[in-house]
């Protein structure tokens, strides 16, 4: 359903790297390996930390501080594909990794998951940037709702 493509309509400092674009994946890999403290991955894993406890270190006003995370990564795809991508790339596993600890209610009507706090990419990004950058989440959810209104019900 690719909610990441909707994010490109709302965010100016946003890029999509497709996992089958080997050159782009190599550039991302090299940047992450060269500056791992500048990147954070949002993916619930056994090694992930609660975002709510760490989000002050991700805030924009801290971007000049040494060791501050400047690039947030989200894996867009089904949970199965996202997990496969995560597990097949050790460099992703080595990045600071975050999950959502507070209970979040997903609004994704056209896809269901049994994963705790299993949000769409759009919902996850909206939650994070509203906390780290103070960006209102309403435009994200309005666009998300509009997309779902055109999709056949599950």
């Amino acid at each position: 359903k690719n909610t990441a493509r909707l994010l490109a309509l709302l965010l100016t400092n946003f890029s999509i790297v497709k996992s089958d674009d080997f050159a782009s994946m190599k550039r991302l890999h090299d940047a992450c390996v060269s500056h791992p403290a500048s990147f954070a991955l949002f993916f619930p894993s056994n090694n992930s930390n609660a975002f709510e406890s760490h989000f002050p270190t991700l805030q924009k006003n801290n971007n000049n501080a040494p060791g501050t995370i400047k690039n947030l990564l989200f894996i867009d795809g089904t949970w199965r594909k996202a997990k496969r991508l995560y597990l097949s790339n050790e460099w992703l596993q080595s990045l600071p990794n975050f999950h959502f600890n507070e209970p979040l209610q997903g609004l994704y009507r056209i896809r269901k998951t049994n994963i705790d706090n299993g949000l769409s990419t759009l919902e996850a990004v909206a939650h994070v940037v509203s906390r780290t950058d103070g960006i209102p989440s309403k435009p994200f959810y309005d666009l998300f709702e509009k997309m779902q209104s055109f999709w056949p019900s599950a």
Side-chain angles (χ1 to χ4, degrees), residues 106-112 144-145 148-151 153-154:
L107 301 175
Y108 211 169
R109 297 187 321 272
I110 58 177
R111 180 176 281 164
K112 301 291 182 214
F144 188 51
E145 181 56 38
Q148 291 188 93
S149 73
F150 289 102
W151 209 276
S153 298

Side-chain angles (χ1 to χ4, degrees), residues 3-128:
T3 63
R5 66 188 161 83
L6 297 175
L7 291 165
L9 300 173
L10 296 165
L11 298 169
T12 55
N13 195 10
F14 179 81
S15 299
I16 294 176
V17 176
K18 295 183 178 189
S19 62
D20 61 354
D21 179 343
F22 299 112
S24 294
M25 283 295 285
K26 172 83 170 108
R27 283 191 297 277
L28 179 60
H29 165 271
D30 292 348
C32 289
V33 170
S34 298
H35 305 287
S38 294
F39 291 84
L41 175 66
F42 283 80
F43 186 80
S45 71
N46 293 336
N47 299 322
S48 61
N49 296 298
F51 163 69
E52 296 81 3
S53 302
H54 293 83
F55 87 88
T57 63
L58 302 172
Q59 288 180 305
K60 256 192 173 177
N61 59 5
N62 289 340
N63 271 351
N64 294 327
T68 299
I69 295 169
K70 297 174 183 71
N71 303 285
L72 307 179
L73 304 178
F74 298 81
I75 300 174
D76 185 53
T78 65
W79 282 102
R80 173 181 263 168
K81 288 180 183 177
K83 186 174 184 179
R84 187 178 326 128
L85 182 70
Y86 175 77
L87 292 175
S88 65
N89 290 282
E90 284 187 28
W91 59 275
L92 285 175
Q93 297 171 46
S94 68
L95 296 173
N97 189 227
F98 296 97
H99 65 269
F100 301 124
N101 204 33
E102 64 186 65
L104 299 171
Q105 182 62 44
L107 301 175
Y108 211 169
R109 297 187 321 272
I110 58 177
R111 180 176 281 164
K112 301 291 182 214
T113 184
N114 58 1
I115 295 174
D116 289 339
N117 289 340
L119 304 175
S120 69
T121 303
L122 183 141
E123 292 171 301
V125 171
H127 181 69
V128 171

